[in-house]
Amino acid sequence: MQYQWYPGHMTKAKRQMQEDIKLVDLVIELVDARVPVSSHNPDIDEIGKSKSRLVLLNKADLADESKNQAWCEYYKSRGMYAVRLDARNRAGMKEVQNVIQEACKEKLERNRRRGILNRPVRAMVAGIPNVGKSTFINSFAGKACTKTGNKPGVTKGKQWIRLNKNVELLDTPGILWPKFEDQTIGLHLAFIGSIKDELLNRDEMAVELVKELLSQYPGVLAARYDLLESADPTEVFSYIAKNRNCLKKGGELDHAKAAALLLEEFRSGRLGRITIETPSLETIG
Ligand code: G4P
């Protein structure tokens, strides 16, 4: 299977980010906790190399909690700050606030030593499409925050959201495009629904997902679909179609329907909290 993205948008977005990055002290990168490798674009390591880094393992509510923890440890071991998050839930934002303070401690301290007392640190949210950037900005900024930089007479300035007296957030996120360095990345992004299904062969994708689940979460499919024992992904996929009565008019199995069903159940978390990529098995950058 081939996965494509749109190079024109990519170049423009990257250029924008290279401009915006100059304005901030901290980069807050969202990744999808189910596939932290595939949903990370390594360009950000280069673009944000002189900045403090905070990784938000977003959609952590859909991911395996033990792996969420393993990923947090992984990022910390690489000198980054990390928080697992459900961006839809405002309750998690307090922790993010605290970690931002921690991540910017040195900068604030440096300012203080120079007698600069009222300059907030500035942060930018970045990530590939669909990881939850807008959801996060909305939850995080909330209603209490005031927008700055859009005063009458001051046009074309960047919009900043003042979170508190210490931190301001750039209100437009930096959009990174996924980097399809190999087919696995495309496949994993397709599993979580970050690539339009219409572009793909869904049956093939579903069989690949079955293969992944059989190896990483044995028992999950058997329990959900009351399956017979089998190690053959194609066979298991057919069992799922039978179990869910995905049949065409003549009684033949309707694989397209079964694929849509399986992917939907995986994406919505109905198969349980599942993480496809683990830090011990994967490498970043
Ligand atoms: P983006 O700006 O990075 O492109 O992503 P956006 O905030 O639009 O979020 C993409 C989808 O992911 C949204 O769902 C959003 O509700 C969902 N989402 C964001 N953060 C989380 C999270 O932590 N956990 C879960 N489970 N979902 C999250 P949607 O189906 O596109 O829209 P809607 O259902 O919110 O209407």
Side-chain angles (χ1 to χ4, degrees):
M1 267 190 285
Q2 289 297 316
Y3 305 92
Q4 303 290 346
W5 215 281
Y6 315 108
H9 292 185
M10 238 183 315
T11 320
K12 187 159 173 261
K14 193 168 164 186
R15 209 177 305 130
Q16 183 66 52
M17 232 186 121
Q18 279 160 335
E19 282 304 309
D20 288 347
I21 205 90
K22 296 177 193 156
L23 307 171
V24 303
D25 309 297
L26 171 74
V27 180
I28 304 173
E29 183 195 5
L30 276 82
V31 294
D32 189 303
R34 295 166 294 176
V35 290
V37 179
S38 298
S39 58
H40 164 80
N41 180 328
D43 284 348
I44 200 170
D45 298 328
E46 180 58 31
I47 297 173
K49 67 173 183 266
S50 58
K51 311 289 172 178
S52 296
R53 300 276 300 274
L54 166 58
V55 178
L56 299 180
L57 270 176
N58 196 38
K59 308 199 186 185
D61 53 300
L62 297 171
D64 187 327
E65 187 49 23
S66 64
K67 292 191 184 172
N68 288 340
Q69 280 179 21
W71 275 110
C72 284
E73 293 306 317
Y74 170 87
Y75 292 117
K76 283 174 195 162
S77 75
R78 297 202 133 205
M80 298 181 222
Y81 292 83
V83 174
R84 49 190 189 277
L85 195 72
D86 173 352
R88 299 163 311 166
N89 185 350
R90 298 214 36 206
M93 300 304 152
K94 185 78 196 131
E95 189 187 353
V96 181
Q97 282 272 15
N98 293 340
V99 177
I100 290 179
Q101 297 300 331
E102 181 66 25
C104 297
K105 208 169 53 190
E106 280 174 26
K107 170 88 184 178
L108 289 166
E109 186 49 42
R110 233 179 3 255
N111 284 349
R112 229 183 328 268
R113 274 202 305 273
R114 291 181 188 151
I116 306 166
L117 296 177
N118 298 320
R119 187 184 298 163
V121 289
R122 291 185 148 179
M124 173 194 191
V125 172
I128 67 165
N130 208 41
V131 282
K133 296 179 295 301
S134 327
T135 309
F136 169 68
I137 292 175
N138 286 338
S139 293
F140 194 49
K143 289 200 183 75
C145 297
T146 47
K147 287 199 176 187
T148 61
N150 196 27
K151 300 177 187 93
V154 189
T155 45
K156 297 231 163 119
K158 287 282 166 191
Q159 288 242 350
W160 295 91
I161 304 166
R162 178 164 278 230
L163 297 172
N164 56 38
K165 68 178 177 18
N166 290 328
V167 185
E168 284 186 355
L169 194 68
L170 188 61
D171 88 334
T172 40
I175 300 175
L176 294 156
W177 254 256
K179 201 153 201 169
F180 298 107
E181 272 164 350
D182 62 51
Q183 289 296 297
T184 312
I185 293 180
L187 188 62
H188 288 183
L189 291 173
F191 287 164
I192 62 164
S194 275
I195 297 175
K196 281 202 184 98
D197 276 0
E198 302 90 79
L199 302 174
L200 308 168
N201 179 334
R202 265 205 210 161
D203 298 9
E204 252 180 75
M205 220 166 89
V207 173
E208 291 293 337
L209 179 60
V210 168
K211 195 194 282 178
E212 203 70 62
L213 295 175
L214 288 176
S215 94
Q216 294 205 51
Y217 291 88
V220 160
L221 292 174
R224 175 92 189 155
Y225 302 108
D226 199 15
L227 299 181
L228 300 170
E229 283 285 318
S230 172
D232 176 358
T234 312
E235 200 169 57
V236 169
F237 180 49
S238 292
Y239 289 157
I240 294 172
K242 267 183 226 151
N243 175 269
R244 287 301 155 103
N245 258 327
C246 299
L247 301 172
K248 291 185 188 160
K249 276 210 178 96
E252 198 187 324
L253 289 179
D254 188 341
H255 286 121
K257 192 171 170 191
L261 181 141
L262 177 68
L263 289 165
E264 213 305 292
E265 299 216 329
F266 168 71
R267 289 169 186 169
S268 63
R270 258 167 287 159
L271 294 181
R273 296 176 62 174
I274 289 170
T275 299
I276 301 283
E277 296 169 349
T278 31
S280 55
L281 300 174
E282 314 289 336
T283 48
I284 299 184

